[in-house]
Amino acid sequence: MASAEGAPVSDAEAATLFAPLRDRAGVALAVSGGPDSSALLVLYARARSHDPRLPPATVLTVDHRLRPEAADEARAVAALAGRHGLAHRTLVREGERPTANLQAEARRARYDLLLDAARDLGLEAIVTAHHAEDQAETFLARLARGSGVVGLAAMAPMRRRDGLLVFRPLLDLPRARLAATLTALGESWIED
């Protein structure tokens, strides 16, 4: 028997995690294909079958065109989405590539693409797979940069960004539970 920290997320628990999205017009799931976002996709699909008030979702994958394997990874996410009855779109970053602050610039570009696509599709929210370890890493990174008390606040489970809701339902879950969920369901993922 797995410990609670490594136990798969049940369908009923998933439905509770996504309950704040009930009765919305539609949501975007930000999925790269790694274990965290793949679990987000699978959990949302399972939660939606458990709770019909959850809105339809479109899975969005960003290809920054920084790595040759990114297109194959986007196709793998599209296949996963299709197996779970979810629509998928790959968003391709165009234009100049940054030469400095690559991760920060990629994150900014990713959110810009996600927000634009969600608006174009008439969706109300973007759902991300940030989890408990991401929360801790964010705190430590902010502490290392010398942030004050306000800057050290945890990532909010819900916030508005450019008029859309950004929802992080997995913030209280450890990464091990997300991987355990995929393993229990026989799903694979991309190591990112």
Side-chain angles (χ1 to χ4, degrees):
M1 179 88 162
S3 71
E5 179 143 326
V9 178
S10 71
D11 293 351
E13 186 179 4
T16 300
L17 291 170
F18 295 108
L21 297 173
R22 285 180 180 146
D23 302 321
R24 295 189 181 273
V27 299
L29 304 178
V31 179
S32 67
D36 312 332
S37 64
S38 293
L40 175 77
L41 183 159
V42 171
L43 288 170
Y44 190 83
R46 294 176 70 85
R48 192 157 185 259
S49 68
H50 194 75
D51 183 352
R53 290 179 54 201
L54 289 174
T58 300
V59 176
L60 301 177
T61 303
V62 175
D63 179 354
H64 290 279
R65 296 222 168 133
L66 294 173
R67 298 177 300 110
E69 60 273 12
D72 288 338
E73 293 169 358
R75 283 190 285 279
V77 173
L80 178 64
R83 285 195 306 276
H84 289 277
L86 299 174
H88 177 269
R89 279 204 183 168
T90 299
L91 310 174
V92 178
R93 182 175 180 197
E94 304 291 345
E96 293 287 320
R97 298 298 178 261
T99 57
N101 300 322
L102 191 59
Q103 286 198 353
E105 287 299 317
R107 185 173 32 261
R108 185 197 54 73
R110 184 170 43 254
Y111 270 101
D112 288 348
L113 286 166
L114 292 169
L115 290 163
D116 288 346
R119 273 194 286 278
D120 289 348
L121 293 167
L123 306 176
E124 293 183 51
I126 296 170
V127 186
T128 70
H130 292 103
H131 50 77
E133 284 89 340
D134 291 326
Q135 188 77 294
E137 288 170 12
T138 298
F139 174 83
L140 292 173
R142 290 176 179 172
L143 183 63
R145 285 194 310 260
S147 290
V149 174
V150 173
L152 292 176
M155 280 189 276
M158 276 194 194
R159 71 180 185 101
R160 290 260 168 216
R161 182 168 177 166
D162 296 339
L164 290 174
L165 178 68
V166 175
F167 181 51
R168 300 177 180 106
L170 309 179
L171 284 177
D172 291 332
L173 295 178
R175 178 179 284 139
R177 290 199 66 204
L178 301 175
T181 301
L182 293 173
T183 300
L185 296 171
E187 296 287 359
S188 61
W189 60 85
I190 299 160
E191 289 299 332
D192 56 358

